[in-house]
């Protein structure tokens, strides 16, 4: 049962870094949450209002607390377990939709900060962004995917200055496809980060009218396009990519039972990634109008979305911490640290990562040339062994030491 706990003035409800799976609601009093800004490293304080939840992301996502929460005046908080919180969340439609929108907006803000760093502060229009996406798929020789993005571009921007280039790429992609060459396939190493929804519910006849099928390489969602639909995968796999600095970064491969495209529905913003079929794919397509009805009518989907947002926010903040590091060697070292954190806990100092120099350039936001130079420096000092398709870090403690001594980003 949820419990009411009283806190005296100056009490710490929890510290940043704590492992604590309780969720709190402020019943009365004055409580503040303090974090360090990822970019400036300066403390940021936010007052929690009466009736507001706090501690949700770390509890639901099973992550360490990101903030220190302090009672400025005497306060009373309702505490509950994850199970108690999820039961409340699942039965209160108002709380459900408000929290999903808040988390969606938080994730979008992190995306914008990340994009700003990668683009060095330059503002990119939706048209220019989509042109970059099409060019990146063309350069990657993903012909079917390139053709779809080019077709969408011409429909949306028929008078753009890039029309001739787009038509040229489209013609070349079409020629390859007619020869039976769909182009480069998606990465098979990617692992899904989502949480699958129970599919039996969606096998009912009432859902058949939402069914869509896609061919290998066919685009379902184009980055930078305005969105009014979201999708649930019934069969097959869907690749997510994001364009940064003119190249497409593989973000994830989603499996049956997983949702995608929900962010554009919740915060009325352009698509943040391109999603295309890896092989034959069957999806259920839901529009903006029936999103709320579907989610509030099926609490398990709402809970899946909540968990997904918690993980995505945590993962994106982790990547942002890498991008704000100024020292290139420390950036690459922190990429290794990040992938080490993502894997199972092991006692061995030596770790093997299925990362290529191109992958390291993507994750670190460094140019391929700088990345290659830094890899060579690591190899010469025997900190890593670099191969075509993987890299061996000889001592993870060395990587952590480089990050700790050359930056102030780790707390």
């Amino acid at each position: 049962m949820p419990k009411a706990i009283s806190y005296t003035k100056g009490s710490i409800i929890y510290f940043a870094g704590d492992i604590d799976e309780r969720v709190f609601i402020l019943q009365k009093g004055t409580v503040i949450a303090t974090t360090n800004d990822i970019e400036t490293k300066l403390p940021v304080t936010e007052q929690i209002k009466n009736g507001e939840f706090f501690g949700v992301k770390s509890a639901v996502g099973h992550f360490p607390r990101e903030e220190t929460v302090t009672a400025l005046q005497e306060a009373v908080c309702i505490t509950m377990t994850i199970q108690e919180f999820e039961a409340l969340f699942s039965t209160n439609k108002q709380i459900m939709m408000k929290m999903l929108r808040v988390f969606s907006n938080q994730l979008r803000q992190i995306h914008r900060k990340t994009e700003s760093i990668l683009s060095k502060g330059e503002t990119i229009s939706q048209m220019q962004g989509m042109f970059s996406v099409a060019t990146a798929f063309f350069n990657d020789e993903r012909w079917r995917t390139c053709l779809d993005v080019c077709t969408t571009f011409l429909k949306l921007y028929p008078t753009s200055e890039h029309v001739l280039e787009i038509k040229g790429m489209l013609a070349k992609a079409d020629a390859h496809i007619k020869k039976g060459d769909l182009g480069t396939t998606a990465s098979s190493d990617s692992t899904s980060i989502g949480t699958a929804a129970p599919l039996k519910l969606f096998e009912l006849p009432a859902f058949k009218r939402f069914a869509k099928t896609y061919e290998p390489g066919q685009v379902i969602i184009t980055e930078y396009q305005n969105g009014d639909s979201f999708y649930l995968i019934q069969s097959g796999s869907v690749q997510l990519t994001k364009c940064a600095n003119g190249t497409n970064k593989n973000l994830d491969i989603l499996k049956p039972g997983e949702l995608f495209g929900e962010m554009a529905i919740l915060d009325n913003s352009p698509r943040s990634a391109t999603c295309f079929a890896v092989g034959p794919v069957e999806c259920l397509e839901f529009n903006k109008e029936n999103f709320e009805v579907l989610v509030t009518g099926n609490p398990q989907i709402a809970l899946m979305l909540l968990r997904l947002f918690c993980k995505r926010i945590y993962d994106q903040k982790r990547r942002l911490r890498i991008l704000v590091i100024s020292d290139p060697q420390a950036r690459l070292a922190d990429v290794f640290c990040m992938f080490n954190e993502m894997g199972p806990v092991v006692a061995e100092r030596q770790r093997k990562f299925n990362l290529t120099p191109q992958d390291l350039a993507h994750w670190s936001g460094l140019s391929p040339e700088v990345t290659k130079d830094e890899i060579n420096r690591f190899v010469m000092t025997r900190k890593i062994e670099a191969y075509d398709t993987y890299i061996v870090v000889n001592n993870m403690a060395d990587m952590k030491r480089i990050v700790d001594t050359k930056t102030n980003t780790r707390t």
Side-chain angles (χ1 to χ4, degrees), residues 182-196:
L182 297 180
T184 308
T185 57
S187 302
S188 59
D189 293 339
S190 298
T191 56
S192 173
I193 63 170
T195 305

Side-chain angles (χ1 to χ4, degrees), residues 328-377:
Q329 190 176 61
R331 269 205 204 185
L332 289 185
D334 209 24
V335 172
F336 291 124
C337 290
M338 180 183 69
F339 276 91
N340 186 55
E341 294 160 10
M342 291 164 58
V345 178
V346 294
E348 292 83 2
R349 296 187 303 173
Q350 188 180 81
R351 294 298 306 272
K352 174 184 174 183
F353 301 104
N354 293 323
L355 295 169
T356 66
Q358 184 182 21
D359 292 329
L360 289 174
H362 281 313
W363 286 107
S364 65
L366 299 171
S367 69
E369 295 76 20
V370 171
T371 302
K372 183 179 179 181
D373 289 343
E374 295 303 328
I375 289 174
N376 289 338
R377 288 178 62 191

Side-chain angles (χ1 to χ4, degrees), residues 134 145-155 166 169-170:
T145 310
C146 174
L147 182 143
D148 288 345
V149 176
C150 288
T151 301
T152 299
F153 184 96
L154 290 175
K155 288 180 180 178
I166 288 289
M169 289 189 287
L170 190 150

